Amino acid sequence: MNNEEAVNMQIYTLNAFAKTEYGGNPAGVVLEADFLTATDMQKIANHIGFSETAFVKKSNKADFKVEFYTPNAEVDLCGHATIATFTLLAYKGIIKEGLYSQETKSGILGIECGDENVIYMEQKNPEFYETLDKKEIAGSLNIKEDEINDGLPIQIVSTGLKDILIPIKSLSNLHDIKPDFYKISTVTKKYGVVGYHLFSLETKNNSTAHCRNFAPLYDIPEEAATGTSNGALSCYLYKHGIIHEKKAKNLVFEQGYSMGKPSEILSSLEIINNEIKRVKVGGTALNIEEKEMAIF
């Protein structure tokens, strides 16, 4: 875009994975973003200040091309911003109930727009990486090692973005954590991951797990709902025998409660011959608002 020109952009904001009207994880969405440069998109994302903003473009490989930016960097994929994007497209009548595809830096992924605008996004099949030492992780969370669940590993897992999955013994332990964000940034940079995804198998609403997510390396101290992280967690729980094939199609994750933003993330695994063949994460988005921003 010519730096001498000013263009007024329409920017939409939505709360994705909202459990209540004011819950969920806010995301920005910009439609018809084909003329924007990477610098423009980074500037918009930084101005909006949400953990992620999605930019929708034309694609010759899929129905839409979507690029995702945090306030300080581009990321390959974002679950909650995808839910926000396709909820907005449905709200504006650009899509109807049915199956769609999005081109992302993580590949071409399927999208399902269901009844009442419940959006499911396909994620990449899981990749399981190394397990990490308790001491290093506990130190960065300002907790004792015995607050980490002995029965499960601390492990890096990805269904599109790498996260460190950290099992915490109890819901109260999880809620009380006051992390050292500098140390978390150091650890996540060391292992080449986006952030920490902490979870407890004790929950508030009889869900699959209760979660908290920290990604300070990307200027996201805590995130109210993370689709990719819970997709990875779904696969991790299946791999380590916590959930079984019959339950794997209807998983529910709680997040955001420690921030006063109750969120609900749905997940579904397709298992064939004891192997995960498909991962979907879904939810809804509420509170659609439209703003205008001048881009120079």
Coordinates of all heavy atoms in Angstrom, one line a residue, residues 219-274:
D219 N 3.6 -11.4 23.3 CA 2.9 -10.3 24.0 C 1.5 -10.7 24.4 O 0.6 -9.9 24.4 CB 2.8 -9.1 23.1 CG 4.2 -8.4 23.0 OD1 5.1 -8.7 23.8 OD2 4.3 -7.5 22.1
I220 N 1.3 -12.0 24.8 CA 0.0 -12.5 25.3 C 0.3 -13.1 26.7 O 0.6 -14.3 26.8 CB -0.5 -13.6 24.3 CG1 -0.6 -13.1 22.9 CG2 -1.9 -14.0 24.8 CD1 -0.8 -14.2 21.9
P221 N 0.2 -12.3 27.7 CA 0.4 -12.8 29.1 C -0.5 -14.0 29.4 O 0.0 -15.1 29.7 CB 0.1 -11.6 30.0 CG 0.3 -10.4 29.1 CD -0.1 -10.8 27.7
E222 N -1.8 -13.8 29.2 CA -2.7 -15.0 29.4 C -3.8 -14.8 28.3 O -4.3 -13.7 28.0 CB -3.3 -15.0 30.8 CG -4.2 -16.2 31.0 CD -4.5 -16.6 32.4 OE1 -4.1 -15.8 33.3 OE2 -5.2 -17.6 32.6
E223 N -4.3 -16.0 27.8 CA -5.3 -16.0 26.8 C -6.5 -16.7 27.3 O -6.4 -17.8 27.9 CB -4.7 -16.7 25.5 CG -5.5 -16.4 24.3 CD -4.7 -16.6 23.0 OE1 -3.8 -17.5 23.0 OE2 -5.0 -15.9 22.1
A224 N -7.7 -16.1 27.0 CA -8.9 -16.7 27.5 C -9.4 -17.9 26.8 O -10.2 -18.7 27.4 CB -10.0 -15.6 27.4
A225 N -9.0 -18.1 25.6 CA -9.5 -19.3 24.9 C -8.5 -19.6 23.7 O -8.3 -18.7 22.9 CB -10.9 -19.2 24.3
T226 N -8.0 -20.8 23.6 CA -7.0 -21.1 22.6 C -7.4 -22.4 21.9 O -7.3 -23.5 22.4 CB -5.6 -21.2 23.2 OG1 -5.7 -22.0 24.4 CG2 -5.0 -19.9 23.5
G227 N -7.8 -22.3 20.6 CA -8.3 -23.4 19.9 C -7.2 -24.4 19.6 O -7.3 -25.6 19.8
T228 N -6.0 -23.9 19.0 CA -4.9 -24.8 18.7 C -4.4 -25.6 19.9 O -4.1 -26.8 19.8 CB -3.8 -24.1 18.0 OG1 -3.4 -23.0 18.8 CG2 -4.2 -23.6 16.6
S229 N -4.3 -24.9 21.0 CA -3.8 -25.5 22.2 C -4.7 -26.6 22.7 O -4.2 -27.7 23.2 CB -3.6 -24.5 23.3 OG -2.7 -23.5 22.9
N230 N -6.0 -26.4 22.6 CA -6.9 -27.4 23.1 C -7.0 -28.6 22.1 O -7.4 -29.7 22.5 CB -8.2 -26.8 23.5 CG -8.2 -26.1 24.8 OD1 -7.9 -26.7 25.8 ND2 -8.4 -24.8 24.8
G231 N -6.8 -28.3 20.8 CA -6.7 -29.4 19.9 C -5.5 -30.3 20.2 O -5.6 -31.5 20.2
A232 N -4.4 -29.7 20.5 CA -3.2 -30.4 20.9 C -3.5 -31.2 22.2 O -3.1 -32.4 22.4 CB -2.0 -29.5 21.1
L233 N -4.1 -30.5 23.2 CA -4.4 -31.2 24.4 C -5.4 -32.4 24.2 O -5.2 -33.4 24.9 CB -5.1 -30.2 25.4 CG -5.5 -30.7 26.8 CD1 -4.3 -31.4 27.5 CD2 -6.1 -29.6 27.6
S234 N -6.3 -32.3 23.3 CA -7.2 -33.4 23.0 C -6.4 -34.6 22.6 O -6.7 -35.8 23.1 CB -8.2 -33.0 21.9 OG -9.0 -31.9 22.2
C235 N -5.5 -34.4 21.7 CA -4.6 -35.5 21.2 C -3.7 -36.1 22.3 O -3.5 -37.3 22.4 CB -3.8 -35.0 20.0 SG -4.8 -34.4 18.7
Y236 N -3.2 -35.2 23.1 CA -2.3 -35.6 24.3 C -3.1 -36.5 25.2 O -2.6 -37.5 25.7 CB -1.8 -34.3 24.9 CG -1.2 -34.5 26.3 CD1 0.2 -34.4 26.5 CD2 -2.0 -34.5 27.4 CE1 0.8 -34.5 27.7 CE2 -1.4 -34.6 28.7 CZ -0.1 -34.6 28.9 OH 0.5 -34.6 30.1
L237 N -4.3 -36.1 25.6 CA -5.1 -36.8 26.5 C -5.5 -38.2 26.0 O -5.6 -39.2 26.7 CB -6.4 -36.1 26.9 CG -6.2 -34.8 27.7 CD1 -7.5 -34.0 27.9 CD2 -5.5 -35.1 29.1
Y238 N -5.7 -38.3 24.7 CA -6.0 -39.6 24.1 C -4.7 -40.5 24.1 O -4.8 -41.6 24.5 CB -6.5 -39.4 22.6 CG -6.7 -40.8 21.9 CD1 -7.8 -41.6 22.3 CD2 -5.8 -41.2 21.0 CE1 -8.0 -42.8 21.7 CE2 -5.9 -42.5 20.4 CZ -7.0 -43.3 20.8 OH -7.2 -44.5 20.2
K239 N -3.6 -39.9 23.7 CA -2.3 -40.6 23.6 C -2.0 -41.2 25.0 O -1.5 -42.3 25.1 CB -1.2 -39.7 23.1 CG 0.2 -40.4 23.1 CD 1.2 -39.4 22.6 CE 2.6 -40.0 22.7 NZ 2.8 -41.1 21.8
H240 N -2.3 -40.5 26.0 CA -1.8 -40.9 27.4 C -3.0 -41.6 28.2 O -2.9 -41.7 29.4 CB -1.3 -39.7 28.1 CG 0.0 -39.2 27.5 ND1 1.2 -39.9 27.5 CD2 0.3 -38.0 26.9 CE1 2.1 -39.2 26.9 NE2 1.6 -38.0 26.5
G241 N -4.0 -42.0 27.4 CA -5.0 -42.8 28.0 C -6.1 -42.2 28.9 O -6.8 -42.9 29.6
I242 N -6.1 -40.9 28.9 CA -7.1 -40.2 29.8 C -8.5 -40.2 29.2 O -9.5 -40.3 29.9 CB -6.6 -38.7 30.1 CG1 -5.3 -38.7 30.8 CG2 -7.7 -38.0 30.9 CD1 -5.2 -39.5 32.1
I243 N -8.6 -40.1 27.9 CA -9.8 -40.2 27.2 C -9.8 -41.4 26.2 O -8.7 -41.7 25.7 CB -10.2 -38.9 26.4 CG1 -9.1 -38.5 25.4 CG2 -10.5 -37.8 27.4 CD1 -9.5 -37.4 24.5
H244 N -10.9 -41.9 25.9 CA -11.0 -43.1 25.1 C -11.8 -42.8 23.8 O -12.4 -41.8 23.7 CB -11.5 -44.3 25.8 CG -10.7 -44.6 27.1 ND1 -9.5 -45.2 27.0 CD2 -10.9 -44.3 28.4 CE1 -9.0 -45.3 28.2 NE2 -9.9 -44.8 29.1
E245 N -11.7 -43.7 22.9 CA -12.3 -43.5 21.5 C -13.7 -43.0 21.6 O -14.1 -42.0 20.9 CB -12.2 -44.7 20.7 CG -12.6 -44.5 19.2 CD -12.3 -45.7 18.4 OE1 -11.5 -46.6 18.7 OE2 -12.9 -45.8 17.3
K246 N -14.6 -43.6 22.4 CA -16.0 -43.2 22.4 C -16.2 -41.8 22.9 O -17.1 -41.1 22.4 CB -16.8 -44.1 23.3 CG -17.0 -45.5 22.7 CD -17.8 -46.4 23.6 CE -18.1 -47.8 23.0 NZ -18.9 -48.7 23.9
K247 N -15.4 -41.3 23.8 CA -15.5 -39.9 24.3 C -14.8 -38.9 23.5 O -15.0 -37.7 23.6 CB -15.0 -39.9 25.8 CG -15.9 -40.5 26.8 CD -15.4 -40.2 28.2 CE -16.4 -40.8 29.2 NZ -16.0 -40.5 30.6
A248 N -13.9 -39.4 22.6 CA -13.0 -38.5 21.9 C -13.8 -37.6 20.9 O -13.2 -36.6 20.5 CB -11.9 -39.3 21.2
K249 N -15.0 -37.9 20.6 CA -15.8 -37.1 19.6 C -16.4 -35.9 20.2 O -16.9 -35.0 19.5 CB -16.8 -38.0 18.9 CG -16.2 -39.0 17.9 CD -17.2 -39.7 17.1 CE -16.6 -40.7 16.1 NZ -17.6 -41.4 15.3
N250 N -16.6 -35.9 21.5 CA -17.3 -34.8 22.2 C -16.5 -34.3 23.4 O -16.9 -34.6 24.6 CB -18.7 -35.3 22.6 CG -19.6 -35.6 21.4 OD1 -20.0 -34.7 20.7 ND2 -19.8 -36.9 21.2
L251 N -15.5 -33.6 23.2 CA -14.7 -33.0 24.3 C -15.0 -31.6 24.5 O -15.3 -30.8 23.5 CB -13.2 -33.2 23.9 CG -12.7 -34.6 23.6 CD1 -11.3 -34.6 23.2 CD2 -13.0 -35.6 24.7
V252 N -14.9 -31.2 25.7 CA -15.2 -29.8 26.1 C -14.2 -29.3 27.1 O -13.9 -29.9 28.1 CB -16.6 -29.7 26.8 CG1 -16.9 -28.2 27.2 CG2 -17.7 -30.2 25.9
F253 N -13.6 -28.1 26.7 CA -12.5 -27.5 27.6 C -13.0 -26.2 28.1 O -13.5 -25.3 27.3 CB -11.2 -27.4 26.7 CG -10.7 -28.7 26.3 CD1 -11.0 -29.2 25.1 CD2 -9.9 -29.5 27.2 CE1 -10.5 -30.5 24.6 CE2 -9.4 -30.7 26.8 CZ -9.7 -31.2 25.5
E254 N -12.7 -26.0 29.4 CA -13.0 -24.7 30.0 C -11.7 -23.9 30.1 O -10.6 -24.4 30.3 CB -13.4 -24.9 31.5 CG -14.6 -25.9 31.7 CD -14.8 -26.3 33.1 OE1 -13.9 -25.9 34.0 OE2 -15.7 -27.0 33.4
Q255 N -11.9 -22.6 29.8 CA -10.7 -21.7 29.9 C -11.2 -20.2 30.2 O -12.4 -19.9 30.0 CB -9.9 -21.7 28.6 CG -8.5 -21.2 28.7 CD -7.7 -21.4 27.3 OE1 -7.9 -22.4 26.7 NE2 -6.9 -20.5 27.0
G256 N -10.3 -19.4 30.6 CA -10.6 -18.0 30.8 C -11.3 -17.6 32.1 O -11.5 -16.4 32.3
Y257 N -11.6 -18.6 32.9 CA -12.3 -18.3 34.2 C -11.4 -17.4 35.1 O -11.9 -16.6 35.8 CB -12.7 -19.6 34.9 CG -13.9 -20.2 34.2 CD1 -13.7 -21.0 33.1 CD2 -15.2 -20.1 34.8 CE1 -14.8 -21.5 32.4 CE2 -16.2 -20.7 34.2 CZ -16.1 -21.4 33.0 OH -17.2 -22.0 32.4
S258 N -10.1 -17.7 35.1 CA -9.2 -16.9 35.9 C -9.1 -15.4 35.5 O -8.6 -14.6 36.2 CB -7.8 -17.5 35.9 OG -7.3 -17.6 34.6
M259 N -9.5 -15.1 34.3 CA -9.5 -13.8 33.7 C -10.9 -13.1 33.8 O -11.1 -12.0 33.3 CB -9.0 -13.8 32.3 CG -7.7 -14.5 32.1 SD -7.3 -14.8 30.3 CE -7.1 -13.1 29.7
G260 N -11.9 -13.8 34.3 CA -13.2 -13.3 34.3 C -13.9 -13.4 32.9 O -14.8 -12.6 32.6
K261 N -13.4 -14.3 32.0 CA -13.9 -14.4 30.6 C -14.2 -15.8 30.3 O -13.4 -16.5 29.6 CB -12.8 -13.8 29.6 CG -12.6 -12.3 29.8 CD -11.6 -11.9 28.7 CE -11.3 -10.4 28.8 NZ -10.3 -9.9 27.8
P262 N -15.2 -16.4 30.9 CA -15.5 -17.8 30.8 C -15.6 -18.2 29.3 O -16.3 -17.6 28.5 CB -16.9 -18.0 31.5 CG -16.9 -16.8 32.4 CD -16.2 -15.7 31.8
S263 N -14.9 -19.3 29.0 CA -14.8 -19.7 27.6 C -15.1 -21.2 27.5 O -14.7 -22.0 28.5 CB -13.5 -19.4 27.0 OG -13.2 -18.0 27.1
E264 N -15.6 -21.7 26.4 CA -15.8 -23.1 26.2 C -15.3 -23.5 24.8 O -15.8 -22.9 23.8 CB -17.3 -23.4 26.3 CG -17.7 -24.9 26.2 CD -19.1 -25.1 26.4 OE1 -20.0 -25.0 25.5 OE2 -19.5 -25.4 27.6
I265 N -14.4 -24.4 24.7 CA -13.8 -24.8 23.5 C -14.2 -26.3 23.2 O -14.0 -27.1 24.1 CB -12.3 -24.7 23.5 CG1 -11.9 -23.3 23.7 CG2 -11.7 -25.2 22.2 CD1 -11.5 -22.9 25.2
L266 N -14.9 -26.5 22.1 CA -15.3 -27.9 21.7 C -14.2 -28.6 20.9 O -13.5 -27.9 20.1 CB -16.6 -27.9 21.0 CG -17.7 -27.0 21.6 CD1 -18.9 -27.0 20.6 CD2 -18.1 -27.6 22.9
S267 N -14.1 -29.9 21.0 CA -13.1 -30.6 20.3 C -13.6 -32.0 19.9 O -14.4 -32.6 20.7 CB -11.7 -30.7 21.1 OG -10.8 -31.4 20.3
S268 N -13.1 -32.5 18.8 CA -13.6 -33.8 18.3 C -12.4 -34.5 17.6 O -11.8 -33.9 16.7 CB -14.8 -33.6 17.3 OG -15.2 -34.9 16.9
L269 N -12.1 -35.7 18.0 CA -11.1 -36.5 17.4 C -11.7 -37.7 16.6 O -12.6 -38.3 17.1 CB -10.1 -37.1 18.4 CG -9.4 -36.1 19.4 CD1 -8.5 -36.9 20.3 CD2 -8.6 -35.1 18.6
E270 N -11.2 -37.9 15.4 CA -11.6 -39.1 14.7 C -10.5 -40.1 14.8 O -9.4 -39.9 14.4 CB -11.9 -38.7 13.2 CG -12.4 -39.9 12.4 CD -12.6 -39.5 10.9 OE1 -13.0 -38.4 10.7 OE2 -12.4 -40.4 10.0
I271 N -10.9 -41.3 15.4 CA -9.9 -42.3 15.7 C -10.2 -43.5 14.8 O -11.3 -44.0 14.7 CB -10.0 -42.8 17.2 CG1 -10.1 -41.6 18.1 CG2 -8.9 -43.8 17.5 CD1 -8.8 -40.8 18.2
I272 N -9.1 -44.0 14.1 CA -9.2 -45.2 13.2 C -8.1 -46.1 13.6 O -6.9 -45.6 13.5 CB -9.2 -44.8 11.7 CG1 -10.4 -43.9 11.4 CG2 -9.2 -46.1 10.9 CD1 -10.4 -43.4 10.0
N273 N -8.4 -47.3 13.9 CA -7.3 -48.3 14.3 C -6.4 -47.7 15.4 O -5.2 -47.8 15.3 CB -6.6 -48.7 13.1 CG -7.4 -49.5 12.1 OD1 -8.4 -50.2 12.5 ND2 -7.1 -49.4 10.8
N274 N -7.0 -47.1 16.4 CA -6.3 -46.5 17.5 C -5.4 -45.3 17.2 O -4.5 -44.9 18.0 CB -5.4 -47.6 18.2 CG -6.3 -48.7 18.8 OD1 -7.4 -48.4 19.3 ND2 -5.9 -50.0 18.6

